[in-house]
Amino acid sequence: MVDKQRNDETTILSLNKSRPELPRLLTQFSAGIAGTGLAVLFSVICKIAYTRAPFCTSKLFSTSLGFGLVWLSWAVNRLRGTIVQISKNAGKLVLKEKEMIKRVEKSVNDIYFRVGTLMAIAMLGFA
């Protein structure tokens, strides 16, 4: 899916072949990422509730990291939904192959953008 030198027909065929496994794997990734983000957010909430200094830089950084992980999970889940929709409609030829590939590429690019944003947040936390 990520290779720019690929053939569109082979990409659609590989998506159809991986129909049961790929959505399940993406669901597990999405749940793991969201769970980590929620754990970070709950940790910040507990720290705010039991400390004297409710707002400090480390808590702000942790909060932004937690929300960023949930945001990334949302993008992975959207990619899963796109792949499931393409797999269901591939046999019906409702969508053209180019349009299907554009949807997947848009979802993958959205994930790349969100990962880059999280990496920037992490770098700011270390600086």
Side-chain angles (χ1 to χ4, degrees):
M1 288 188 309
V2 181
D3 185 20
K4 297 291 182 189
Q5 301 292 327
R6 65 160 169 16
N7 185 1
D8 292 344
E9 293 176 7
T10 58
T11 303
I12 299 297
L13 288 174
S14 65
L15 283 175
N16 287 335
K17 282 183 182 179
S18 66
R19 183 177 178 179
E21 293 90 14
L22 188 58
R24 189 176 315 137
L25 179 68
L26 289 173
T27 300
Q28 290 174 352
F29 279 153
S30 178
I33 294 168
T36 304
L38 290 175
V40 169
L41 289 174
F42 286 136
S43 170
V44 170
I45 290 171
C46 289
K47 285 180 185 178
I48 288 173
Y50 293 114
T51 59
R52 291 184 183 192
F55 300 107
C56 63
T57 307
S58 66
K59 291 176 188 169
L60 182 64
F61 167 72
S62 296
T63 303
S64 63
L65 187 65
F67 280 126
L69 287 171
V70 172
W71 187 49
L72 176 62
S73 170
W74 185 23
V76 172
N77 197 27
R78 194 181 309 171
L79 174 64
R80 183 201 58 82
T82 302
I83 290 174
V84 167
Q85 181 185 13
I86 287 172
S87 297
K88 287 181 180 178
N89 293 332
K92 299 176 186 175
L93 293 175
V94 174
L95 300 173
K96 295 181 180 179
E97 289 178 0
K98 299 263 186 202
E99 186 177 332
M100 290 180 197
I101 296 300
K102 282 183 183 179
R103 286 185 182 184
V104 172
E105 284 179 353
K106 182 181 176 196
S107 295
V108 170
N109 288 337
D110 192 30
I111 290 172
Y112 286 156
F113 172 74
R114 292 177 188 202
V115 166
T117 304
L118 275 173
M119 289 174 60
I121 290 171
M123 289 300 156
L124 287 174
F126 289 124

